Amino acid sequence: MGSWKSSVFILVLHFLEGALSDSLIKLNNNGYEDIVIAIDPSVPEDEALIQQIKDMVTEASPYLFEATEKRFYFKSVSILIPENWNAKPEYTKPKLETYKNADVVVEPNQLSTDEPYTEQFGKCGERGEKIHLTPDFLAGKALKQYGPQGRVFVHEWAHLQWGVFDEYNNEEKFYLSRGRPQAVRCSTDITGQYKTIKCQGGSCTVGPCRLNKLTGLYNKECVLIPQKQQIAKASIMFAQSIESVVGFCNEKNHNKEAPNLQNQKCNLRSTWEVISESEDFKKTTPMTTNPPKPTFSLLQIAQRVVCLVLDKSGSMASDNRLDRMNQAAKFFLLQTVEDRSWVGLVTFDGSAQVRSELVQIKSDADRDALTKHLPTVSSGGTSICSGLQSAFTVIKKKYPTDGSEIVLLTDGEDNTISMCFNMVKQSGAIIHTVALGPSAAAELEQLSQMTGGLQTYASDQAQNNGLIDAFGALSSGNGAIAQRSIQLESRGATLQNRQWMNGTVIVDDTVGKDTLFLITWTNQQPQIFLWDPSGTRQNGFVVDAASKMAYLQVPDIAKVGIWKYSLQASSQTLTLTVTSRASSATLPPITVTSKMNKDTGKFPSPMIVYANIHQGASPILGAQVTAVIESANGKTVTLELLDNGAGADATKNDGVYSRYFIAYDTNGRYSVKIWALGGINTVRQGTASRSNGALLVAGWIENGKIQLNPPRPANNKTEVQNKKVCFSRTSSGGSFVASHVPKAPIPDLFPPCQITDLRAKVQGYSVINLTWTAPGNDYDHGQAFKYIIRMSTNVLDLRDKFNASVQVNTTGLIPKKANSEEIFVFEPENIAFENGTNLFIAIKAVDKANLESEISNLAQVSLFIPPPPETPSPPDISVPSPNISINNTIPGLHILRIIWKWVGDLQLTLAHC
């Protein structure tokens, strides 16, 4: 890349930096504008739902205003109404608002619960993805469990906008503090009673909590039932349903000991501290007057209008670009774009040519007719603005440009592209960009960034199938999921001397409608063999010799199972793409959506790849997920993505697979592609409880009496509970732009990643068992050189003065390969560890270049020595377990260990009787 091109990329990066999500939200004079709340197309029409959304936001705004010390309120909201609802005069057409970039989605109850929750892929302080609500929640059918909808919305908004986490813990509801059990909560001023609740057959009973004599904690059925009347004002991230709670925990009242996600993810910082460090906070000052009520726009989705704007300039003759563009565009027209969409076609070189006015897709004949207008000859210069201007003219002949889409592909540079930026902004159209080859205009991404479109990049390496992947990713952002084209496979190879390209594709029971097998080549038609799961060879491929492609549309619903293919060719490149749609409008298909954590990578800052694999609301666990990242010079890197809750992955077993990318090799564009495969270890997880959502309060104590709330419903949809699933999917993750990459050799500036899942427990009264996931030498790749483990009885001293805290002897502790499970057992030395002591432990990993990771999450253990058993003392038992030293400063600890070993052995024996 020349120095001029590099400098242009650097300038463009300044425009793109900080673009972390598709959201349209803006903060204007303390008010959040352009919030998008979308009603899913599968929600039955109900006008009352629109008013309920308005009521929720209107109620939430003053609550948010007071909770943030008069800094923030909700100013304007757009409500997206499905196309299949009846039209009304007050409904207008959306511009850039789509279901894809919605901040809140209202969707049917799929897992027998109306629990509101927020998707969060990132770290503390990073914006979340979407808030999920159900119609029944908005209708007020969960008031007792979660509290008023407006308060719940503020809880979820804090997840979404500021990246804070919950201050309760459904999996670990109690912890030891100075030897006594405490409920996980914030603040500790919240009062209540500890009770055991057992429900069976629709009725629940309340009883006392029992202490576990091994741990000193209450039994797992025990919960805190809060007093209805409280004086505590915090915290919204614990239980906004408590009437007195009107604010977030701050530095003064934050419970730093509680084992919750907020402490684990945010390094013990309170929610208010995190909010105070946000860009929103830095841009505002408290208001002196009360804010106005929110305003609402009602926007109804209309039929899709899309215009292809394709480059046919002279440079498109290079590297088979024109042929490959036509193959990808034909694939889009034949398969990707949905029925009833309106499609136009414009080409450009030094000027623009209208190839087809808008045509509505009603039949296969309409699709075929559009493909006939694709360009066959390349020549001339590159005038991107003329192509865009012609597309707007084509669209305006039939519809306003608001909400329309343009797919812009170019391989060339155009130093006048910025002249049409204002025209694009004013159009209200969404621009999807496809950068082809190494010389596509550096400013191209600005068009997709300013309009909320998808940005993609395809190299000249045809075997990577980048162009078809890019066009395959352009399903409607507004259509029902059952209408969406889903890519099952995308492969390519360069074959020599009659070599074979063999493989399999899994068609699972969630897809099968409109299944298409597409094969492309670069020279001459290959031998094509395809067999369905019963072993029957499939004939009837339609061959388009001019476009160098062949395709087979499987009639009706494709057979479920493994399809096999074999392709044979010599001295050319072949690709195979398989797509399908949902087999039923009532059975959600398994989907893979992928993205990067940001659109720009500045060396040595790492990028993060995410792949979200779900079937409806159910996460898919145990899949094999691989990311292929291709740089501007054609080099590819493969990454195994993991859902292990370590390294780049925020939450274990949530269906979001993640990994750090650090293998930069050049400046410029990088494309991202995901392969996901489900096999014998893959399950569809039915779940009725999620992290990053509002706390379900089991009941209230009012006037001294316990009033139970309806429990969380049992998931009766057993067919989705832990069901094994086999499937194959591919997905385009778009593209990103890298800068400041030094010339080879690339220096090692990458430390090990932060350890985020450190856990500690006491065994044998003096021995501490630590577990964590191993980081790598470079973030989560390779193998670290050593660990530094330190401990303190003061949690803030450990966090803020790590290097001054007591160091643990780690002789013999050699780091394992990244993402392995680490176990380390030690006996505390040089520190008082007595009954009731809280001990805090943290780790840093160090690589071979002596680069240190960030300090890990802080693990906590409390020494609990139960009173002696009431039964007669057992006979003296000689030796303790091997590998555990009995040297300790605690008087009488040796005999206590012996007593406890005997009690444990007795309990074990009784359990087997």
Side-chain angles (χ1 to χ4, degrees):
M1 184 180 295
S3 58
W4 176 83
K5 190 76 176 292
S6 297
S7 62
V8 172
F9 261 113
I10 298 299
L11 288 172
V12 171
L13 281 169
H14 291 303
F15 174 86
L16 297 177
E17 279 178 337
L20 302 180
S21 76
D22 296 323
S23 176
L24 304 176
I25 293 173
K26 296 189 292 290
L27 181 61
N28 183 9
N29 293 329
N30 300 83
Y32 287 107
E33 298 179 331
D34 300 333
I35 302 164
V36 178
I37 300 179
I39 302 171
D40 190 89
S42 58
V43 173
E45 182 167 2
D46 181 4
E47 283 190 63
L49 185 58
I50 296 172
Q51 187 59 48
Q52 289 159 2
I53 293 171
K54 292 180 178 181
D55 291 343
M56 177 187 70
V57 178
T58 302
E59 176 187 58
S61 188
Y63 187 62
L64 176 70
F65 186 65
E66 294 301 326
T68 57
E69 299 179 357
K70 304 184 186 302
R71 275 187 188 268
F72 305 116
Y73 69 99
F74 298 122
K75 190 173 185 179
S76 68
V77 174
S78 296
I79 300 176
L80 274 186
I81 298 166
E83 181 183 354
N84 56 4
W85 285 28
N86 289 324
K88 293 188 178 299
E90 62 267 31
Y91 299 168
T92 58
K93 190 177 180 181
K95 292 185 178 180
L96 305 182
E97 301 89 354
T98 65
Y99 288 113
K100 179 185 174 187
N101 63 25
D103 307 292
V104 184
V105 290
V106 180
E107 55 199 359
N109 175 343
Q110 295 181 1
L111 292 173
S112 301
T113 175
D114 291 310
E115 181 176 9
Y117 70 99
T118 302
E119 291 179 90
Q120 285 181 272
F121 294 179
K123 296 183 177 181
C124 182
E126 293 182 2
R127 192 180 188 279
E129 301 299 308
K130 289 184 193 302
I131 296 171
H132 293 257
L133 306 175
T134 69
D136 282 351
F137 167 80
L138 288 163
K141 295 184 179 180
L143 283 174
K144 291 182 178 180
Q145 300 98 312
Y146 299 108
Q149 298 95 318
R151 284 174 167 245
V152 174
F153 188 62
V154 171
H155 176 105
E156 301 307 327
W157 183 263
H159 284 308
L160 179 77
Q161 190 66 16
W162 302 310
V164 298
F165 293 86
D166 290 323
E167 293 167 339
Y168 63 89
N169 187 337
N170 281 326
E171 303 301 320
E172 194 175 341
K173 292 177 282 191
F174 297 94
Y175 66 99
L176 285 178
S177 178
R178 289 167 286 283
R180 300 188 64 180
Q182 288 282 348
V184 174
R185 64 199 192 280
C186 195
S187 72
T188 54
D189 293 336
I190 291 172
T191 60
Q193 294 181 17
Y194 297 154
K195 294 293 180 182
T196 294
I197 301 177
K198 293 184 178 180
C199 298
Q200 188 173 7
S203 62
C204 298
T205 59
V206 179
C209 292
R210 293 180 293 104
L211 278 175
N212 184 314
K213 293 183 179 180
L214 289 172
T215 64
L217 297 173
Y218 289 120
N219 55 300
K220 64 179 182 180
E221 295 88 2
C222 185
V223 296
L224 171 67
I225 300 182
Q227 297 283 351
K228 188 72 173 177
Q229 302 300 321
Q230 303 267 353
I231 60 172
K233 296 186 180 298
S235 168
I236 289 171
M237 299 315 292
F238 171 65
Q240 74 292 322
S241 53
I242 296 174
E243 189 174 345
S244 67
V245 169
V246 292
F248 298 97
C249 268
N250 56 36
E251 192 172 5
K252 293 181 180 179
N253 58 21
H254 178 58
N255 182 3
K256 300 177 180 64
E257 294 182 348
N260 55 36
L261 279 179
Q262 177 62 25
N263 279 329
Q264 181 183 342
K265 300 284 189 183
C266 297
N267 201 19
L268 306 181
R269 289 177 295 160
S270 67
T271 53
W272 186 245
E273 288 175 88
V274 176
I275 293 169
S276 299
E277 293 168 7
S278 69
E279 289 301 314
D280 290 356
F281 194 92
K282 294 173 185 176
K283 292 188 292 189
T284 57
T285 57
M287 294 175 62
T288 56
T289 59
N290 289 332
K293 288 184 178 181
T295 60
F296 298 91
S297 301
L298 305 182
L299 311 177
Q300 185 168 31
I301 298 301
Q303 292 171 339
R304 188 180 190 190
V305 178
V306 57
C307 187
L308 300 183
V309 179
L310 306 178
D311 188 347
K312 58 170 288 294
S313 61
S315 57
M316 290 292 290
S318 304
D319 297 291
N320 287 319
R321 289 178 191 163
L322 188 72
D323 287 345
R324 291 171 56 221
M325 178 187 75
N326 285 342
Q327 290 167 348
K330 189 165 185 177
F331 167 65
F332 174 81
L333 294 170
L334 291 176
Q335 180 71 1
T336 305
V337 70
E338 299 80 6
D339 283 340
R340 299 180 64 246
S341 300
W342 290 86
V343 182
L345 177 59
V346 170
T347 59
F348 67 92
D349 41 44
S351 59
Q353 308 87 38
V354 176
R355 299 276 179 158
S356 173
E357 303 289 350
L358 288 181
V359 173
Q360 188 173 31
I361 304 292
K362 296 180 180 178
S363 65
D364 289 342
D366 295 322
R367 296 176 182 272
D368 289 333
L370 280 164
T371 65
K372 301 292 192 296
H373 298 295
L374 292 169
T376 56
V377 178
S378 57
S379 64
T382 304
S383 176
I384 293 172
C385 285
S386 67
L388 292 174
Q389 179 65 66
S390 290
F392 291 141
T393 301
V394 166
I395 294 168
K396 285 177 182 177
K397 287 181 181 178
K398 196 157 192 71
Y399 291 106
T401 52
D402 290 347
S404 63
E405 299 172 70
I406 289 175
V407 179
L408 171 63
L409 179 147
T410 185
D411 75 333
E413 299 170 356
D414 179 359
N415 57 14
T416 65
I417 187 173
S418 60
M419 294 175 63
C420 55
F421 282 0
N422 285 334
M423 175 183 68
V424 167
K425 288 178 182 178
Q426 294 169 9
S427 71
I430 299 167
I431 313 292
H432 307 291
T433 57
V434 183
L436 175 56
S439 300
E443 304 89 345
L444 197 60
E445 280 77 8
Q446 292 187 55
L447 293 168
S448 50
Q449 281 294 313
M450 69 176 66
T451 63
L454 178 67
Q455 62 181 53
T456 55
Y457 159 68
S459 74
D460 287 326
Q461 305 299 313
Q463 71 274 13
N464 294 332
N465 210 21
L467 262 186
I468 287 179
D469 290 339
F471 277 79
L474 293 171
S475 291
S476 172
N478 285 324
I481 194 168
Q483 301 171 2
R484 205 168 298 166
S485 178
I486 296 171
Q487 196 161 290
L488 309 185
E489 182 61 290
S490 170
R491 298 276 177 181
T494 299
L495 305 181
Q496 305 292 341
N497 302 321
R498 298 183 59 80
Q499 286 181 307
W500 290 91
M501 174 178 158
N502 303 315
T504 60
V505 180
I506 300 173
V507 176
D508 58 276
D509 62 355
T510 72
V511 293
K513 185 179 179 182
D514 293 340
T515 302
L516 180 83
F517 286 79
L518 172 72
I519 291 127
T520 72
W521 55 88
T522 53
N523 292 329
Q524 58 186 7
Q525 182 183 342
Q527 291 268 22
I528 300 172
F529 299 92
L530 176 67
W531 299 271
D532 71 12
S534 67
T536 303
R537 183 179 171 185
Q538 302 296 295
N539 297 308
F541 273 86
V542 176
V543 178
D544 183 346
S547 297
K548 299 177 182 177
M549 60 191 290
Y551 55 91
L552 172 69
Q553 191 90 44
V554 179
D556 301 320
I557 303 296
K559 288 183 179 179
V560 173
I562 298 175
W563 293 63
K564 298 179 182 179
Y565 62 86
S566 292
L567 311 176
Q568 187 185 47
S570 299
S571 303
Q572 63 174 324
T573 298
L574 307 183
T575 72
L576 171 103
T577 307
V578 184
T579 61
S580 190
R581 300 187 200 276
S583 57
S584 167
T586 58
L587 177 66
I590 295 171
T591 58
V592 178
T593 55
S594 49
K595 59 172 282 186
M596 303 300 293
N597 64 319
K598 49 189 176 180
D599 297 310
T600 60
K602 187 176 179 180
F603 183 90
S605 176
M607 300 288 291
I608 300 176
V609 193
Y610 298 112
N612 189 2
I613 309 180
H614 278 68
Q615 184 185 355
S618 300
I620 303 295
L621 310 183
Q624 298 177 34
V625 186
T626 303
V628 179
I629 300 176
E630 182 183 10
S631 69
N633 62 17
K635 179 182 176 182
T636 59
V637 173
T638 60
L639 296 176
E640 180 188 5
L641 306 189
L642 303 172
D643 187 13
N644 61 354
D649 192 60
T651 305
K652 185 175 182 178
N653 290 341
D654 65 345
V656 179
Y657 298 73
S658 317
R659 200 72 183 272
Y660 284 109
F661 170 76
I662 55 173
Y664 298 100
D665 70 297
T666 186
N667 291 314
R669 297 182 174 97
Y670 289 67
S671 67
V672 184
K673 179 177 182 174
I674 302 296
W675 272 308
L677 184 65
I680 58 173
N681 296 319
T682 308
V683 295
R684 179 174 56 210
Q685 177 73 48
T687 178
S689 178
R690 306 174 180 87
S691 58
N692 311 327
L695 173 68
L696 184 149
V697 177
W700 301 100
I701 300 173
E702 192 167 10
N703 299 323
K705 295 182 179 180
I706 295 176
Q707 304 290 336
L708 292 183
N709 293 330
R712 177 177 284 112
N715 194 335
N716 295 320
K717 299 180 181 179
T718 55
E719 71 273 10
V720 303
Q721 294 263 13
N722 302 327
K723 181 179 178 180
K724 293 187 181 298
V725 288
C726 293
F727 68 93
S728 61
R729 297 286 188 274
T730 64
S731 172
S732 170
S735 64
F736 64 92
V737 180
S739 68
H740 296 83
V741 180
K743 293 182 179 179
I746 305 293
D748 182 3
L749 300 178
F750 303 112
C753 65
Q754 181 189 26
I755 295 166
T756 59
D757 62 348
L758 178 64
R759 297 288 184 270
K761 63 180 180 179
V762 178
Q763 58 187 48
Y765 300 129
S766 66
V767 174
I768 296 175
N769 181 299
L770 299 180
T771 60
W772 68 94
T773 301
N777 185 72
D778 301 323
Y779 286 93
D780 54 5
H781 303 272
Q783 186 172 345
F785 177 64
K786 66 178 181 180
Y787 293 118
I788 301 171
I789 303 177
R790 295 184 182 272
M791 57 187 174
S792 175
T793 56
N794 185 303
V795 66
L796 291 183
D797 282 351
L798 181 63
R799 183 189 71 177
D800 300 334
K801 304 173 185 177
F802 178 82
N803 292 333
S805 299
V806 175
Q807 186 164 353
V808 176
N809 184 352
T810 56
T811 302
L813 176 59
I814 300 174
K816 295 180 181 178
K817 187 178 178 181
N819 298 300
S820 303
E821 182 185 26
E822 296 275 26
I823 301 174
F824 180 64
V825 179
F826 72 98
E827 188 168 3
E829 298 177 348
N830 304 317
I831 197 166
F833 193 40
E834 303 171 346
N835 194 16
T837 298
N838 285 359
L839 188 63
F840 302 92
I841 304 163
I843 303 181
K844 283 187 176 182
V846 185
D847 71 4
K848 295 176 182 177
N850 210 35
L851 298 173
E852 294 185 356
S853 70
E854 296 178 50
I855 186 173
S856 70
N857 65 292
L858 277 65
Q860 175 184 350
V861 290
S862 295
L863 182 58
F864 174 75
I865 301 176
E870 297 178 1
T871 53
S873 298
D876 189 16
I877 300 175
S878 54
V879 256
S881 302
N883 302 324
I884 298 179
S885 170
I886 63 173
N887 295 325
N888 202 286
T889 58
I890 304 174
L893 186 59
H894 175 56
I895 188 65
L896 279 172
R897 287 202 204 110
I898 294 173
I899 292 170
W900 191 247
K901 182 181 186 300
W902 177 83
V903 173
D905 290 346
L906 177 63
Q907 289 176 337
L908 186 63
T909 302
L910 291 173
H912 287 278
C913 290

